[in-house]
Amino acid sequence: MTEQILVLDEGTTSTRAMLFTAAGALIGSAQQELTQMYPAPGRVEHDARELWHRTLACAREMVEKAGGAHAIAAIGITNQRETVVAWDTATGEPLANALVWQDRRTAEFCATLRDAGHEGAVQRATGLLLDPYFSGTKMRWLVENEPAVAAAAQAGTLALGTIESWLVFKLTGGVLLTDASNASRTLLMRLDGAAFDQGLCDLFEVPHSALGEVTDNAGNFGSTLPELFGGPITITGLAGDQQSATIGQGCLSPGETKATYGTGAFILANKGREIPASANRLLGTVLYQLGGERIYALEGSVFVAGSLVQWLRDSLGLLGTAAETETLARSIPDSGGVVIVPALSGLGAPHWRPEAGGVIAGLSFATGRAQIARAALEAMAHQTDDLARAFAADGARWTSLKIDGGMSANDWMAQDIANILDLPVERPAFVETTALGAAMLAGVGAGLYPTLADASAAMRGGIDHFTPAMLPPERELRQRQWSKALLAA
């Protein structure tokens, strides 16, 4: 099979276009950074116009590499999920900066709804908690606080959507839709509902008319405007980044679990057709929808993973490169008692403490760059361990863990996760499974493969294995130190 698949991978800090063969081999990649805007503490924004132009530039580079639009069978899109864009359907232009998933400005509104007793009903309906992380409260904020957004709502030309919705609109010249995996992250769709729910929209004060149609994750979602790439290309795969990575890891059977370490860390366990319910503040979410039928997942989300290393490098100047963390971690026998709780934008699952602040504990005159770098990597294992306990308490105990994402390329960190969890850890040779999952969905949507299982069998590559190699006393000491530091966050 010689068909090529173009994947647009919309991350938090960069946008990429990646070109795959139908057999899953990566042919090429183009990447551009996205400007991060922090207008006030707890606020994180993107320029949606910049995101579109940089995505388009990357995509054009890969279309040229492919030999032209006619050589590409399909486009798949995967994206940072809860980031919200408001735009005008008449002009196709953004009406305000995009509010990024890390943004916490709606914490007070979430607290008001919790105090009014709404969280239980919202969680039963959507699988989600009342937290600023999710899209719905961001949409309300834009309507309430951005005059241009309010005016478009009054005029009936407002569109509110997550990043894949914004890109599909721009690529096709006007198609307004969102896939079920992204829709399930908004607080505005019931897990058992086919579309956005009017009652939930009313609760969160979001205009229902501004939201797109909820679709499958694979199918024909429209073709790109011919002038963009010299010819039309059909968009056939859409998924939120963590669902896409779960598919890319081949977690297609109930119980299979993956963890993606990117800007944040996200763990999903396939729950099959069973709608998830958590008593331990984990999330129920749509893993994917095909032919109108949904497969669900139980999810735990850590807000800060790779962004901790980026902060140590860019804001504190303690690192020259992110890769330096592995060299520094290996240069010392332990962290010297240093523990980092990376609550730089609050604590996610299973704690859900938006007010929490980051902590570096155990500092002494013996502390140097190496101890801090090692503690930063150790924090990934401990955050994962917190989630493992919550999943087990919800009856979803892990027997192994599949890891991926850019940060998982760090062998020391992968081994440390296996050590702290006391579980075998698997890592694919190709760690960018988020893009691979989108390519699989696009392949199914374009008819290159009859099922996701067929696409997975054809497109996944080799696996690296990490076996636990830590004695119980050392593991227990690390866990005690982590628990103590967590109380101070």
Side-chain angles (χ1 to χ4, degrees):
M1 297 169 69
T2 58
E3 294 93 343
Q4 297 173 88
I5 298 171
L6 176 63
V7 170
L8 306 181
D9 183 357
E10 303 305 317
T12 307
T13 57
S14 68
T15 179
R16 291 186 300 179
M18 304 173 76
L19 192 63
F20 290 88
T21 68
L26 180 65
I27 303 169
S29 178
Q31 182 169 351
Q32 291 194 24
E33 288 197 0
L34 298 174
T35 304
Q36 307 297 304
M37 291 177 275
Y38 306 100
R43 297 193 174 195
V44 189
E45 299 178 359
H46 283 167
D47 180 345
R49 191 177 285 103
E50 176 195 81
L51 186 147
W52 160 242
H53 287 304
R54 294 187 178 182
T55 298
L56 184 60
C58 291
R60 283 173 167 162
E61 189 176 332
M62 287 300 100
V63 171
E64 184 178 353
K65 186 175 183 67
H70 67 277
I72 297 175
I75 291 176
I77 300 174
T78 182
N79 58 289
Q80 41 158 317
R81 296 173 297 179
E82 294 82 8
T83 298
V84 171
V85 181
W87 70 95
D88 193 303
T89 56
T91 66
E93 292 300 312
L95 297 165
N97 281 339
L99 304 191
V100 180
W101 61 270
Q102 297 158 308
D103 193 283
R104 314 299 293 169
R105 74 186 66 189
T106 62
E108 186 177 337
F109 177 64
C110 291
T112 299
L113 290 179
R114 272 197 304 275
D115 292 344
H118 290 294
E119 185 164 71
V122 168
Q123 185 179 15
R124 286 189 294 275
T126 68
L128 309 179
L129 299 167
L130 290 173
D131 190 87
Y133 176 35
F134 304 109
S135 311
T137 63
K138 296 181 176 70
M139 292 177 179
R140 174 191 179 273
W141 191 95
L142 286 166
V143 174
E144 290 283 315
N145 293 278
E146 293 286 351
V149 176
Q154 281 289 107
T157 59
L158 175 63
L160 292 166
T162 40
I163 296 298
E164 92 297 342
S165 187
W166 165 238
L167 290 179
V168 168
F169 186 91
K170 294 296 285 185
L171 286 165
T172 61
V175 173
L176 184 59
L177 54 77
T178 183
D179 68 272
S181 70
N182 276 292
S184 74
R185 310 298 295 183
T186 61
L187 288 166
L188 303 177
M189 185 186 79
R190 299 178 62 89
L191 285 177
D192 61 357
F196 288 113
D197 184 82
Q198 184 65 59
L200 289 168
C201 287
D202 291 344
L203 176 65
F204 291 99
E205 302 172 44
V206 173
H208 188 278
S209 60
L211 303 172
E213 175 192 1
V214 178
T215 70
D216 284 353
N217 290 90
N220 187 332
F221 304 121
S223 295
T224 62
L225 295 168
E227 60 267 28
L228 294 178
F229 304 118
I233 308 172
T234 308
I235 302 167
T236 61
L238 301 171
D241 53 6
Q242 302 314 317
Q243 286 93 331
S244 190
T246 308
I247 293 165
Q249 281 277 33
C251 295
L252 303 180
S253 299
E256 293 186 312
T257 304
K258 74 89 200 177
T260 296
Y261 297 90
T263 301
F266 301 88
I267 297 174
L268 277 78
N270 185 315
K271 293 288 284 182
R273 293 177 177 83
E274 174 192 349
I275 294 180
S278 174
N280 293 278
R281 300 183 71 76
L282 298 176
L283 308 176
T285 197
V286 174
L287 178 54
Y288 60 85
Q289 176 179 307
L290 294 176
E293 185 174 70
R294 288 182 181 166
I295 298 297
Y296 296 95
L298 191 65
E299 175 173 342
S301 307
V302 169
F303 295 151
V304 176
S307 54
L308 172 64
V309 174
Q310 185 181 30
W311 177 73
L312 292 175
R313 182 194 67 192
D314 298 344
S315 297
L316 300 190
L318 293 178
L319 302 169
T321 65
E324 195 178 351
T325 55
E326 180 164 0
T327 304
L328 289 169
R330 292 186 186 280
S331 72
I332 51 176
D334 55 55
S335 70
V338 177
V339 180
I340 297 178
V341 180
L344 300 177
S345 56
L347 283 171
H351 312 288
W352 294 106
R353 290 170 49 199
E355 80 289 349
V359 169
I360 303 179
L363 296 173
S364 72
F365 283 120
T367 301
R369 289 195 313 135
Q371 285 77 13
I372 291 174
R374 181 162 172 147
L377 296 182
E378 289 179 348
M380 302 307 118
H382 288 296
Q383 292 185 111
T384 307
D385 189 40
D386 284 349
L387 284 170
R389 296 167 190 268
F391 273 77
D394 273 338
R397 186 179 301 277
W398 308 343
T399 55
S400 67
L401 184 66
K402 300 179 179 183
I403 66 171
D404 57 60
M407 202 179 183
S408 73
N410 186 313
D411 284 351
W412 189 92
M413 188 191 83
Q415 182 61 54
D416 194 53
I417 292 169
N419 289 345
I420 292 297
L421 294 180
D422 197 21
L423 286 176
V425 168
E426 297 180 10
R427 182 185 65 196
F430 181 67
V431 300
E432 299 297 346
T433 54
T434 300
L436 186 62
M440 290 178 186
L441 287 168
V444 172
L448 303 181
Y449 293 102
T451 68
L452 264 184
D454 293 315
S456 180
M459 299 176 77
R460 293 184 71 220
I463 304 291
D464 296 323
H465 297 272
F466 299 87
T467 303
M470 180 179 279
L471 295 175
E474 183 181 353
R475 182 182 302 114
E476 290 160 9
L477 173 63
R478 285 264 308 269
Q479 289 168 334
R480 285 196 303 273
Q481 290 172 331
W482 169 258
S483 296
K484 183 179 178 181
L486 201 58
L487 292 174

